[in-house]
């Protein structure tokens, strides 16, 4: 089974490291950004490349092909990940509820599923790990193509959307993803099966990008964001995505394992994809806009880890009662 071919971290230690790297970026932004001999763009590009190469290494094409044999389920889940949240956010924008500080939350809503915690929580709660794995991987394959296009209306008043970012996205995200997938089928390029230490590379690269993102955002007014608004927006987004995920799960299947996996696939959002795409979409001279995008991604990631562990306990207790 594909879901058994990789062990995923449970995320608590990573969450603490993420808080630490973010804090260092805020407090000591000049540690890297202030040194002339440090090429920050090169570091961020290499970190992004490594993240998606090793994500590609973990993808099993057999599982993806099997998932595509149920196109209606794939279409429904991927629509709930990308299109339904986008439609709601776009409607809010047309009604005049969009403000500059809320742009980051709309970016968050159209992000793909985080692969590792989604699968871990699905399995711990008694869900179908293979189902969660394939659907989350599909969302991460679609994200580089969809997100720049979907997000363009929300930043059109601040940044002129350039279609030229697609070649950059291809080189930094899609190309390493395809090479990672290919490395498992052409063993002369790399070992066929992912090595145990490979799972540590993407989290380390995410921490590097997190430091760079918060260091860049600290010069763009990140400290000026309202804590109350942050908390309210966080709760609204999480409750909205959770409700959508719960309804989709009940519509897709009567099987409890599939419903559980559907919930975690739709409600969770990927930090590993969000930060690199933010770097690619937002120009280097728009630090204030960049700052409003990084905090929601990071806050939601930490919150979903906390709520995920609580929901796993609740789902297991309710399963015992049944």
């Amino acid at each position: 089974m594909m879901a058994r071919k990789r062990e995923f971290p449970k995320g608590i230690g990573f969450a603490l490291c993420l808080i630490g790297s973010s804090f260092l970026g805020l407090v000591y932004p000049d540690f890297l950004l202030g040194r002339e001999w440090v090429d920050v763009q090169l570091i961020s590009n290499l970190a992004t490349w490594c993240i998606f190469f090793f994500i590609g290494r973990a993808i099993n094409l057999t599982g993806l092909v099997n998932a595509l044999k149920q196109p209606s389920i794939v279409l429904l889940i991927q629509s709930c990940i990308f299109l339904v949240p986008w439609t709601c956010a776009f409607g809010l924008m047309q009604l005049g509820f969009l403000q500059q500080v809320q742009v980051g939350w709309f970016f968050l809503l159209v992000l793909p599923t985080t692969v590792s915690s989604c699968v871990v929580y699905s399995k711990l709660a008694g869900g179908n790990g293979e189902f969660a794995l394939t659907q989350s991987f599909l969302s991460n394959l679609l994200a580089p193509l969809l997100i720049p296009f979907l997000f363009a209306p929300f930043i059109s008043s601040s940044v002129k959307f350039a279609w030229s970012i697609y070649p950059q996205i291809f080189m930094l995200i899609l190309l390493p993803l395809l090479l990672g997938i290919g490395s498992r089928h052409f063993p002369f390029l790399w070992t066929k099966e992912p090595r145990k230490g490979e799972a540590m590379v993407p989290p380390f690269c995410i921490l590097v990008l997190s430091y760079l993102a918060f260091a860049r955002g600290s010069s763009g007014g990140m400290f000026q964001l309202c804590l109350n608004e942050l908390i309210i927006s966080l709760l609204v987004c999480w409750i909205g995505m959770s409700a959508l995920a719960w309804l989709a799960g009940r519509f897709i299947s009567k099987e409890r394992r599939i419903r559980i996996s559907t919930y975690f696939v739709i409600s969770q959002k990927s930090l590993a994809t969000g930060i690199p795409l933010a770097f690619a979409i937002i120009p280097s001279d728009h630090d204030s806009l960049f700052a409003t995008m990084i905090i929601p991604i990071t806050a939601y990631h930490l919150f979903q880890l906390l709520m995920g562990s609580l929901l796993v306990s609740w789902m297991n207790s309710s399963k015992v009662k049944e």
Side-chain angles (χ1 to χ4, degrees):
M1 301 294 286
M2 184 174 65
R4 297 178 182 174
K5 289 189 176 181
R6 181 182 175 190
E7 295 180 359
F8 292 87
K10 297 191 177 179
I12 302 302
F14 175 72
L16 295 175
C17 292
L18 182 63
I19 293 173
S21 65
S22 303
F23 178 78
L24 288 175
L26 288 173
V27 179
Y28 302 107
D30 293 335
F31 179 75
L32 285 180
L33 299 188
R35 302 178 187 274
E36 295 182 359
W37 53 272
V38 174
D39 190 335
V40 175
Q41 187 64 47
L42 178 61
I43 294 175
S44 64
N45 288 347
L46 287 175
T48 301
W49 209 93
C50 289
I51 287 172
F52 287 96
F53 176 80
F54 286 101
I55 286 178
R57 289 274 298 157
I59 294 178
N60 189 314
L61 288 181
T62 302
L64 292 178
V65 172
N66 290 335
L68 293 175
K69 293 179 181 179
Q70 296 178 305
S72 59
I73 292 179
V74 171
L75 181 61
L76 177 60
I77 290 180
Q78 300 305 318
S79 296
C80 289
I81 293 173
F82 296 108
L83 298 182
V84 176
W86 180 88
T87 302
C88 295
F90 188 76
L92 290 174
M93 183 182 71
Q94 296 302 312
L95 293 173
F97 290 105
L98 177 63
Q99 298 177 5
Q100 179 73 5
V101 74
Q102 296 173 318
V103 170
W105 295 105
F106 294 130
F107 179 67
L108 168 74
L109 288 175
V110 295
L111 287 179
T113 306
T114 181
V115 177
S116 58
S117 61
C118 165
V119 176
V120 167
Y121 288 144
S122 294
K123 294 169 69 175
L124 291 177
N128 188 318
E130 185 172 359
F131 180 86
L133 187 61
T134 53
Q135 296 297 333
S136 60
F137 274 142
L138 281 171
S139 72
N140 279 273
L141 288 172
L142 292 172
L145 300 175
L146 291 178
I147 290 178
F149 174 76
L150 293 176
F151 190 58
F154 302 120
I155 58 174
S156 58
S157 61
S158 304
V159 177
K160 184 178 180 181
F161 180 74
W163 292 101
S164 60
I165 66 171
Y166 273 104
Q168 179 185 0
I169 288 175
F170 174 79
M171 293 299 296
L172 291 179
I173 296 177
L174 290 177
L175 178 60
L177 195 64
L178 294 174
L179 290 176
I181 295 173
S183 68
R184 295 192 59 175
H185 297 273
F186 301 96
F188 62 88
L189 296 175
W190 202 280
T191 57
K192 185 174 182 180
E193 291 297 324
R195 297 173 180 174
K196 188 174 182 180
E198 291 183 17
M200 300 300 296
V201 177
F204 174 77
C205 293
I206 292 171
L207 294 178
V208 172
L209 288 177
S210 176
Y211 169 82
L212 295 176
F214 274 80
R216 175 182 170 184
S218 65
S219 64
M222 187 173 281
F223 287 111
Q224 299 175 8
L225 297 179
C226 177
L227 181 60
N228 290 336
E229 185 172 359
L230 175 67
I231 294 174
I232 293 173
S233 300
L234 176 62
L235 291 174
V236 169
C237 287
W238 183 80
I239 292 172
M241 292 305 302
S242 293
L244 175 62
W246 182 79
L247 290 172
R250 295 184 66 85
F251 183 81
I252 287 174
S253 176
K254 295 181 179 179
E255 184 182 346
R256 186 176 187 275
R257 296 178 70 231
I258 297 297
R259 288 183 176 182
I260 290 173
S261 297
T262 299
Y263 171 80
F264 287 110
V265 166
I266 294 176
S267 65
Q268 300 223 333
K269 294 297 181 178
S270 175
L271 182 75
T273 303
I275 292 181
L277 282 174
F279 271 107
I281 294 173
I282 305 302
S284 58
D285 58 344
H286 286 72
D287 288 343
S288 60
L289 179 59
F290 186 81
T292 65
M293 294 173 61
I294 294 304
I295 283 187
I297 300 172
T298 307
Y300 191 91
H301 182 81
L302 295 172
F303 189 72
Q304 72 185 8
L305 291 177
L306 171 63
M307 296 306 298
S309 62
L310 294 176
L311 285 171
V312 166
S313 299
W314 176 76
M315 290 177 180
N316 286 329
S317 63
S318 62
K319 181 179 178 181
V320 172
K321 292 179 181 179
E322 293 175 0

